[in-house]
Amino acid sequence: MSTNPELEAQIDQWRGYVQRRRAISAGDVEEMEDHLREQVTDLTSTGLDDDEAFLVSVKRMGNLDEVSREFAREHSDRLWKQLVLVPDEPDAGAKPWRELGVVLALALGAGAAVKIGTELFADELVVLRNIGLLVLPFLAGYFAWKRKLTWRVGAALLVPFALLAVVLNVYPFDPDGSTLFLAASHSIVALWALISVAYAGGRWRSDARRMDYVRFTGELAIYFVLIALGGGVLIGLTLGTLGLVGVDFEPVLESWILPFCVPGALIVAAWLVEAKQNVVENIAPVLTRVFTPLTIVMLLVFLGVFATTGGLLDVDRELLILMDMVLVLVLCLLLYSISARDSLAPPGLFDVLQLVLVVAALAVDTVTLSAMLTRIAEFGFSANKVAALGLNLVLLVHLAWSAWLSVEFLRGKRPFGPVERWQTRYLPAYAVWALVVVVIFPPVFAFA
C-alpha cells in the first residue's frame, strides 16, 4: 500500500478505537488491520481514492462493538485465561512464563542497581541525582524486549541515556544549589520521554502510540500506588509483629527491602498494565469523571486565594510552587481523560466540564505567570524562577490551544481527532524543556 499520511492517520484512529474493545487482543487488532489494509488496496486498485476506500473498508469490517461482543462469546475461555498471571496449560504457557521470568529478572536488576548505587556512593545526593538512571533503563529494557526493538533503535536510545549520565555526574554542581535539584528532577522527565520510544516500538511519530503511552502512564501510576499501599500494609504488620517479640526489623527494611521492592514494583506494575490493558475494562473514564469536577472546584478555590492575597508581589513563593504542581496535575488529568475518550463519540456534558477545567487552569496559569514575572522584576533571575516560568509558558500554550480546539469541537466545527492529536504532538515540548533545564541551566547559573 502506498504511504499516504492522511490514510495512515485514519488507520491510526481506527486502530485506537479497536484497541479499546477489551475482548480483542493486540494480535487480533494487527490481524484486523492487515485485513483492512488489504481491502483498501483492493478498492484503490478499482479506481477509488484512499479516503473512499478506507470508509468502504471500515464499513465492510462491520460494527466493532458487535465484533467485540461476538469475539468475547466465542473466545470466553481465552479471555478468562488472560485475566490470570499465567495459563495452566504447559504448551500455551511457555511464552507467559518466559515473560514473567524476564519481568522478575528486570525487577531484581533494578533493585540491585539501586542497592549497589547506595553502597558505592556514600553521598545520598549522588544516589538521588542518578535514581532515574539506575531504575528506568530496566523499564526501557522491558519494552525493548517486549516490542522486539531493532539494534538501531536500541542504540539510538542508549546514546541519550549515556549523555544524561555524563551531564548529571560530570557537571560540578553545588551540593546546596538549586541547579542540582532541577537537573535531577527534570532528567526523570527526559528519561520518561525516551522510554516512550521503546514503548512505541520505535514508532515514536505515531499519534496513536503516543496516546497509548499516555494511557499506560496513568494506569501505571494507579497500579504502582496500589502495590505500594498493599506493600505498606504488609510491612507495617510485619514491623508490629516482630516488634512485639523484640526483633528490630527496620535495618533490614531500610537496607534491603525498600531498595529492592520500590524499583521492582515499578517494573512489575508496568508488566501488569501491559498484561491487562486489552482484557480488563479501562478505569480511566471512571477516574476522570470523578476527579474532573473536584479539580474544577479546587482551581476556583485557588483563584479565590489569589484574589485575597493583595498584590502579585505579596503572593507567597510556596503558593506559586503549589500552583505549578496543581497545573501539572490538571495536565495529567486532561491527557488521561482524552486518552480514555472514544474519539468517534459526539460532544457531551463531560466535554463541557473538561473545557471548564482547561479554562480554569488557564486562568490560574495566567495569574501565576503574572506573579512570577512580578517577582523576577523585583528580585531578579534565579534558576528556580526561570525553570518555573518556562514550565508555565509551555503549559500556557498547551492549555490555550486545547481550549480553542475543545470549543471548536463542542460547536461542531471540528471532529475530536484534532483535540487528541494536539495533545500527543505537543508532548515533546515538555521533554525539550526538561533537557534545557538539565543541560543548559547548570552552566548558565554557574552550577549554583
Side-chain angles (χ1 to χ4, degrees), residues 32-114:
M32 293 174 69
E33 182 180 341
D34 290 340
H35 183 54
L36 175 68
R37 289 180 179 275
E38 290 175 1
Q39 291 200 46
V40 171
T41 302
D42 292 341
L43 290 171
T44 52
S45 65
T46 64
L48 295 180
D49 60 29
D50 287 341
D51 289 340
E52 293 171 337
F54 173 76
L55 292 174
V56 173
S57 299
V58 170
K59 184 68 175 177
R60 289 180 178 178
M61 296 291 287
N63 185 288
L64 289 176
D65 290 324
E66 287 296 332
V67 171
S68 178
R69 284 192 288 270
E70 185 65 27
F71 189 93
R73 284 194 293 267
E74 294 183 3
H75 299 81
S76 58
D77 57 338
R78 192 182 79 180
L79 177 64
W80 284 107
K81 288 172 187 174
Q82 286 178 292
L83 288 173
V84 297
L85 293 179
V86 291
D88 294 329
E89 294 85 344
D91 295 337
K95 183 177 179 180
W97 275 116
R98 184 171 68 251
E99 181 168 353
L100 177 60
V102 171
V103 169
L104 292 178
L106 290 171
L108 289 173
V114 173

Side-chain angles (χ1 to χ4, degrees), residues 114-442:
V114 173
K115 176 61 178 175
I116 293 172
T118 56
E119 294 294 332
L120 289 179
F121 306 112
D123 188 353
E124 292 183 355
L125 290 177
V126 177
V127 178
L128 290 176
R129 82 170 76 166
N130 287 283
I131 192 67
L133 292 167
L134 293 173
V135 177
L136 295 183
F138 291 91
L139 183 59
Y142 168 64
F143 288 123
W145 176 83
K146 182 78 172 177
R147 305 289 192 261
K148 297 179 174 61
L149 291 187
T150 63
W151 287 106
R152 180 179 298 179
V153 177
L157 286 175
L158 285 175
V159 171
F161 267 94
L163 290 176
L164 283 172
V166 170
V167 168
L168 289 175
N169 292 281
V170 172
Y171 275 2
F173 291 104
D174 181 352
D176 298 323
S178 58
T179 56
L180 173 59
F181 170 76
L182 289 173
S185 58
H186 285 74
S187 67
I188 295 178
V189 178
L191 290 171
W192 198 253
L194 287 175
I195 293 175
S196 70
V197 179
Y199 179 89
R203 297 172 55 200
W204 61 275
R205 293 183 178 180
S206 170
D207 293 324
R209 296 304 291 163
R210 288 185 186 178
M211 188 54 73
D212 288 342
Y213 189 62
V214 169
R215 193 178 302 110
F216 162 80
T217 301
E219 297 286 341
L220 175 65
I222 295 169
Y223 274 66
F224 183 77
V225 169
L226 291 176
I227 292 174
L229 290 175
V233 171
L234 292 176
I235 289 174
L237 291 174
T238 303
L239 284 172
T241 303
L242 294 178
L244 293 176
V245 296
V247 176
D248 187 7
F249 187 63
E250 289 189 8
V252 178
L253 175 65
E254 295 176 358
S255 300
W256 292 97
I257 294 180
L258 291 181
F260 274 89
C261 289
V262 174
L266 180 68
I267 309 299
V268 172
W271 170 58
L272 289 175
V273 175
E274 276 287 289
K276 310 309 175 194
Q277 63 181 352
N278 291 321
V279 293
V280 178
E281 188 66 28
N282 199 312
I283 61 176
V286 178
L287 292 177
T288 54
R289 278 162 175 75
V290 170
F291 284 102
T292 295
L294 297 177
T295 308
I296 292 173
V297 174
M298 180 180 63
L299 290 174
L300 294 177
V301 170
F302 284 141
L303 286 173
V305 172
F306 270 118
T308 58
T309 54
L312 293 176
L313 192 60
D314 298 327
V315 177
D316 190 70
R317 176 176 175 270
E318 282 71 23
L319 180 59
L320 293 178
I321 296 174
L322 181 61
M323 289 301 96
D324 280 344
M325 295 174 62
V326 170
L327 289 173
V328 171
L329 174 64
V330 170
L331 173 66
C332 295
L333 185 61
L334 173 67
L335 291 171
Y336 198 36
S337 61
I338 289 177
S339 73
R341 191 189 189 282
D342 186 350
S343 59
L344 301 181
L349 175 61
F350 185 73
D351 297 298
V352 177
L353 284 176
Q354 190 167 283
L355 176 59
V356 174
L357 173 69
V358 173
V359 172
L362 266 174
V364 172
D365 195 9
T366 303
V367 175
T368 305
L369 274 172
S370 301
M372 287 180 177
L373 290 172
T374 302
R375 292 179 66 87
I376 289 175
E378 181 70 20
F379 303 112
F381 290 94
S382 70
N384 284 329
K385 292 174 187 175
V386 178
L389 181 66
L391 174 61
N392 281 97
L393 289 173
V394 175
L395 284 168
L396 182 68
V397 175
H398 193 168
L399 294 171
W401 195 245
S402 296
W404 171 252
L405 291 176
S406 296
V407 170
E408 292 284 284
F409 170 64
L410 290 173
R411 294 175 59 197
K413 301 292 186 180
R414 295 174 185 260
F416 190 74
V419 180
E420 189 173 19
R421 285 194 297 273
W422 166 246
Q423 315 305 322
T424 57
R425 294 179 182 180
Y426 192 75
L427 284 177
Y430 295 94
V432 171
W433 178 246
L435 285 174
V436 169
V437 175
V438 174
V439 178
I440 298 177
F441 268 45

